[in-house]
Amino acid sequence: MTDTLCPVARTVDRVGDAWSLMILRDAFHGLTRFDQFQKSLGVAPNILTRRLAKLVEAGMLERRRYNARPPRDEYVLTAQGRDFWPVLVAMMAYGNRHFAREGVASQLVDAQTGAPAEPVLADAATGRRLDPAAFKFAAGPAADPAVLARMAFADARRV
Amino acid sequence: MTDTLCPVARTVDRVGDAWSLMILRDAFHGLTRFDQFQKSLGVAPNILTRRLAKLVEAGMLERRRYNARPPRDEYVLTAQGRDFWPVLVAMMAYGNRHFAREGVASQLVDAQTGAPAEPVLADAATGRRLDPAAFKFAAGPAADPAVLARMAFADARRV
């Protein structure tokens, strides 16, 4: 991709494929073992091996030996992996709003009360709701000429 | 995938590949035309054609004729497509936190003041910050036995 400084592109580059995203979803559901992921996803073993290695390399999963003889490893979310939670929750909310033709099958709820939450984006510092009317994409300090040109274009096309 | 009722899986199934996610990012930057996407992403024309068609089929992009002779179409985000904004913003925030080794190249800012926002998830009704300590995944009214079993497993593995 041409603008490799883009933080969206960098995230997509590491986890932006269907299997990686589904492995991360499963990891948040508590799955850790190769055979658990394989059974859950119906994915070919060689593909699962590659995706797990890629997620380990990206710093999102950690490989841990849980049995010495025979040697067996499990894959556990790192702190950086657990920080991906908001992306999956945003995808879940999106799926529930637009693709849940039978109704809501799974959702985010208050762990104490069981009350369903409606996930939206807010600014951590102010608590203000984030929306495309009041907020926009802009270049940051590390922007190069390509990012600056892209952000100027986006700014001019904002409606 | 075995649990097709899962709203994450349904979203991933429709847009969970690198090209579709990058096309959506570009669409939020104001790109609309085939040659704009192609130049931005360096993607093969046949793949771009397929991904655009898939995003149209998923209801996220709308194909519009902007020139009659020669016939030329552009691809514009639908209301449902624009609603995907939080997922991309969450991915951008994630990329900036974990993969921006040179610093922040692009970010979300207040459109009036230019102040950078720090996107986090909150509950629309209460404004409460959403985090995995206080909130959990749970079955909804449309859950089938597979989803119920999955959510019970996830609940038992919660730390």
Side-chain angles (χ1 to χ4, degrees):
Chain A
M1 295 159 188
T2 48
D3 50 343
T4 51
L5 282 172
C6 170
V8 178
R10 287 189 169 177
T11 301
V12 167
D13 195 41
R14 284 155 181 87
V15 305
D17 68 89
W19 293 126
S20 295
L21 291 165
M22 296 312 294
I23 290 167
L24 288 170
R25 179 208 62 172
D26 278 359
F28 278 102
H29 287 167
L31 278 62
T32 59
R33 299 184 180 180
F34 193 92
D35 60 308
Q36 290 176 326
F37 292 118
Q38 206 189 346
K39 190 180 165 199
S40 165
L41 303 175
V43 54
N46 60 328
I47 294 177
L48 180 56
T49 299
R50 257 182 279 148
R51 290 302 191 283
L52 287 169
K54 194 177 169 189
L55 289 168
V56 169
E57 196 193 350
M60 305 185 75
L61 293 179
E62 186 190 355
R63 190 172 176 160
R64 284 191 204 155
R65 182 130 308 180
Y66 69 87
N67 198 51
R69 284 178 212 167
R72 291 281 181 271
D73 295 330
E74 61 181 356
Y75 297 85
V76 182
L77 288 166
T78 61
Q80 183 194 311
R82 287 195 299 276
D83 196 36
F84 197 69
W85 190 81
V87 179
L88 288 176
V89 170
M91 284 192 167
M92 168 186 247
Y94 190 82
N96 275 333
R97 273 201 302 278
H98 296 291
F99 303 132
R101 53 186 183 278
E102 305 88 346
V104 169
S106 69
Q107 59 191 339
L108 194 71
V109 303
D110 185 307
Q112 297 295 321
T113 68
E118 190 194 335
V120 295
L121 287 180
D123 179 30
T126 63
R128 261 178 82 197
R129 176 112 171 226
L130 298 179
D131 65 66
F135 291 83
K136 64 176 186 178
F137 300 117
D144 63 7
V147 173
L148 289 167
R150 164 65 67 119
M151 290 296 122
F153 180 87
D155 210 24
R157 296 294 296 262
R158 246 182 116 238
V159 285
Chain B
M1 297 162 190
T2 48
D3 50 343
T4 51
L5 282 172
C6 171
V8 178
R10 287 188 168 177
T11 300
V12 167
D13 194 42
R14 283 155 180 88
V15 305
D17 68 89
W19 293 126
S20 297
L21 291 166
M22 295 313 294
I23 290 168
L24 288 170
R25 179 207 63 171
D26 278 359
F28 277 102
H29 287 167
L31 279 62
T32 59
R33 299 183 182 181
F34 192 92
D35 60 309
Q36 290 176 326
F37 291 117
Q38 207 190 345
K39 189 179 166 202
S40 165
L41 302 176
V43 54
N46 59 329
I47 294 177
L48 181 56
T49 299
R50 256 183 278 149
R51 290 301 190 286
L52 288 168
K54 194 177 169 190
L55 289 168
V56 168
E57 195 193 350
M60 305 186 75
L61 293 179
E62 187 190 354
R63 190 173 177 160
R64 283 191 203 152
R65 182 131 309 182
Y66 70 86
N67 197 53
R69 283 178 210 167
R72 292 280 181 274
D73 295 330
E74 60 181 358
Y75 297 85
V76 181
L77 288 165
T78 62
Q80 183 195 311
R82 287 195 298 277
D83 196 36
F84 197 69
W85 191 80
V87 179
L88 288 176
V89 170
M91 284 192 167
M92 167 186 249
Y94 191 82
N96 275 333
R97 272 200 303 278
H98 297 291
F99 304 132
R101 54 187 181 278
E102 306 87 347
V104 169
S106 69
Q107 59 191 340
L108 193 71
V109 304
D110 185 307
Q112 297 294 322
T113 67
E118 192 195 332
V120 294
L121 287 179
D123 179 31
T126 62
R128 261 179 83 198
R129 177 113 170 227
L130 299 179
D131 65 66
F135 291 83
K136 65 176 186 179
F137 300 117
D144 63 8
V147 173
L148 289 169
R150 163 66 66 121
M151 292 295 121
F153 180 86
D155 210 24
R157 296 295 296 262
R158 246 182 116 237
V159 284

